Amino acid sequence: MYAFFIYLLLKLVFFFFLMIRRPPRSTLSSSSAASDVYKRQALGVGLFSFDLEVELTDANDATQVKIVSFNQREEEEVRKSLTFTCTAPPKMIRFDPNYKLLFEIDISPGLDLLSYGAANAADVPNRIRSHKELVKIGSPAALAAVSSALSKEPSHHVRTQVAVYLSEAKCSVAVQVLARMVRQEEDLRALAPIFKAAGEVRDGVLKKALLWRCTSPETRLPPWAMAALAQALAKQGGDDVLELLSNEIANSGPMHNIEYCGWIAALGEHRSAASYSTLRSLVPYGAEPRWKCRAAVTRAFANCAKWQPTTAQKESIEILGQLIRDPSERVRKAAAQGLVDLKAPTAVSDLDAVFATLPTQDIFWINKLKKQAREPAVENKGALVGEVDRLNTKVRELEDKLNKVLAIFETK
């Protein structure tokens, strides 16, 4: 027994010794940061000091690895070159194949190398980089290579990231590849991110794919996936989508709350006067039978109100001002965010009123909302967004015509 207490005492003494001997903690002050930079430069250790491995594989599957060293003493542009001696043409290039660094790279070694890397690179980061560069090229051949590689891609991380790249590209061929992903994806971990990426582009091809996925006779998707699918479909617009949303909400008895909140949020994304009217009827206290979903109703109502005429926006501001005093903390926070998004003239004073009802850790959030409330409003935002969507659709139509003409000339 005494031996155990002596052992414990020695452990505590050693622990306090380490606490006393530990190096000083780094601080966020500018003087400390400048001092750290000065010490690193004085010791010959630059601001950027690391080794980057570059692996090249040729057609004979011979692999060479070379290292590029960086040791910069100040922020400046640096150019490095590497020379590989190959007995056969190169077929794949990989950067940092052993995952030693965290970095981003912008490089295009050519369509052939990128196509092979997207399909056959052994690691996920390099496959994602190859897909990113292929989507950036944007030609039908490059996007065909993306589609071919995705059909055999085992990692859901790659597929979800490529869906984001395709939605950002917004060209007609990229939209077609993304629509194919919406129809064919079966991994439960990838469904919601892919549907969310598809919702960022308003296009008829994507709308058909999302509608098919929503009404297909197979087993219903999990709640998170259905919620993302509903919101992506609502962003496509149309009376047929509104009818589907209304039917799902009307027959929502057996639904999980997560899925139900997704359909409610979809009404807000639809932006129509009819969806605004439906949400307006669910906002008052006690109108929504699912208590846990009242915050989702408030968020959707505020989101939909942004796209309504001025009269409806003023009415929405009055309603959200009343919800600031709601018994539910989540509803109060959703109402506060809605007042800021609608640029309510009394938003700052309303935020001061709700401040006392929220936990101390939300001080930063309230101050951030106050800053947003003081920023000037963008006039006619809804009209500008609609014009951008119309122009994007026109651009994709012209791209389709151009690709068809190029295909005719290539066959000749």
Side-chain angles (χ1 to χ4, degrees):
M1 189 67 178
Y2 289 108
F4 172 75
F5 281 113
I6 293 174
Y7 171 76
L8 182 60
L9 180 62
L10 291 176
K11 292 284 286 185
L12 290 174
V13 170
F14 182 68
F15 171 75
F16 285 114
F17 174 77
L18 291 179
M19 291 289 291
I20 295 173
R21 296 281 296 176
R22 75 176 188 272
R25 296 177 180 176
S26 60
T27 63
L28 297 178
S29 64
S30 58
S31 59
S32 175
S35 176
D36 290 344
V37 171
Y38 175 78
K39 291 175 184 177
R40 289 173 62 85
Q41 293 179 347
L43 294 173
V45 180
L47 293 175
F48 305 97
S49 180
F50 60 90
D51 294 332
L52 175 63
E53 295 180 352
V54 182
E55 178 188 280
L56 184 71
T57 305
D58 60 24
N60 295 330
D61 291 331
T63 300
Q64 302 180 55
V65 178
K66 300 232 174 150
I67 299 177
V68 185
S69 297
F70 295 89
N71 188 11
Q72 307 312 120
R73 306 193 69 172
E74 59 185 14
E75 296 184 15
E76 59 182 9
E77 183 178 349
V78 180
R79 296 180 180 272
K80 299 284 185 177
S81 61
L82 287 174
T83 303
F84 290 91
T85 304
C86 303
T87 58
K91 69 176 182 180
M92 184 173 63
I93 185 169
R94 293 200 300 162
F95 295 90
D96 190 31
N98 297 311
Y99 330 122
K100 296 179 179 179
L101 301 174
L102 179 63
F103 68 98
E104 291 184 0
I105 192 168
D106 186 5
I107 185 173
S108 182
L111 182 59
D112 294 337
L113 288 175
L114 290 173
S115 301
Y116 190 88
N120 299 288
D123 59 307
V124 166
N126 275 289
R127 292 204 300 275
I128 291 177
R129 292 187 197 111
S130 298
H131 279 292
K132 181 180 180 180
E133 297 300 329
L134 286 170
V135 174
K136 195 180 296 183
I137 293 173
S139 65
L143 293 171
V146 171
S147 180
S148 176
L150 287 175
S151 64
K152 301 175 289 186
E153 176 57 54
S155 172
H156 72 280
H157 296 289
V158 176
R159 297 195 299 275
T160 55
Q161 191 61 51
V162 174
V164 175
Y165 297 149
L166 292 171
S167 68
E168 291 173 351
K170 290 185 171 64
C171 65
S172 60
V173 183
V175 167
Q176 292 172 9
V177 177
L178 183 57
R180 194 175 301 118
M181 295 179 69
V182 169
R183 289 177 178 270
Q184 297 177 354
E185 184 59 53
E186 297 296 337
D187 193 321
L188 301 182
R189 298 167 294 182
L191 288 172
I194 289 177
F195 295 155
K196 182 179 179 181
E200 299 302 320
V201 184
R202 190 165 185 169
D203 186 86
V205 175
L206 277 174
K207 181 179 179 179
K208 290 180 181 178
L210 292 167
L211 271 173
W212 177 86
R213 197 65 196 254
C214 193
T215 58
S216 60
E218 281 120 7
T219 306
R220 196 173 183 89
L221 298 175
W224 280 116
M226 284 302 301
L229 178 58
Q231 294 175 63
L233 185 57
K235 291 181 179 180
Q236 305 299 323
D239 294 337
D240 53 344
V241 175
L242 179 61
E243 182 180 359
L244 175 63
L245 297 178
S246 302
N247 291 336
E248 290 289 340
I249 291 175
N251 302 311
S252 60
M255 266 188 204
H256 192 281
N257 281 343
I258 293 175
E259 181 180 348
Y260 179 76
C261 289
W263 289 104
I264 289 292
L267 273 180
E269 295 290 353
H270 194 268
R271 305 173 184 175
S272 64
S275 62
Y276 173 80
S277 177
T278 302
L279 291 169
R280 170 69 178 81
S281 64
L282 295 175
V283 164
Y285 184 84
E288 171 54 57
R290 301 193 186 209
W291 178 264
K292 295 182 178 179
C293 299
R294 292 189 61 239
V297 172
T298 306
R299 283 191 295 268
F301 172 72
N303 184 33
C304 193
K306 293 187 296 185
W307 310 97
Q308 306 307 312
T310 306
T311 305
Q313 289 189 12
K314 291 180 179 179
E315 179 191 24
S316 304
I317 290 173
E318 293 178 0
I319 295 172
L320 292 172
Q322 297 172 6
L323 292 175
I324 284 290
R325 298 179 292 275
D326 192 272
S328 170
E329 177 187 329
R330 296 173 62 193
V331 173
R332 294 197 300 271
K333 295 177 72 172
Q337 182 67 62
L339 286 172
V340 173
D341 292 340
L342 288 171
K343 298 298 180 182
T346 60
V348 176
S349 59
D350 289 335
L351 289 174
D352 289 333
V354 77
F355 173 77
T357 68
L358 295 176
T360 307
Q361 59 264 28
D362 287 330
I363 294 177
F364 173 78
W365 176 74
I366 287 289
N367 291 332
K368 183 179 178 181
L369 287 185
K370 286 183 179 180
K371 181 179 178 181
Q372 293 178 9
R374 294 187 180 98
E375 294 176 354
V378 179
E379 298 294 335
N380 298 324
K381 180 180 178 182
L384 293 175
V385 172
E387 183 66 15
V388 169
D389 290 338
R390 188 186 67 80
L391 292 175
N392 282 330
T393 303
K394 189 66 176 177
V395 168
R396 285 192 291 273
E397 291 175 356
L398 293 174
E399 285 178 346
D400 284 336
K401 294 179 180 179
L402 179 60
N403 290 332
K404 290 177 182 178
V405 172
L406 291 175
I408 293 174
F409 277 103
E410 288 176 358
T411 54
K412 293 181 178 180

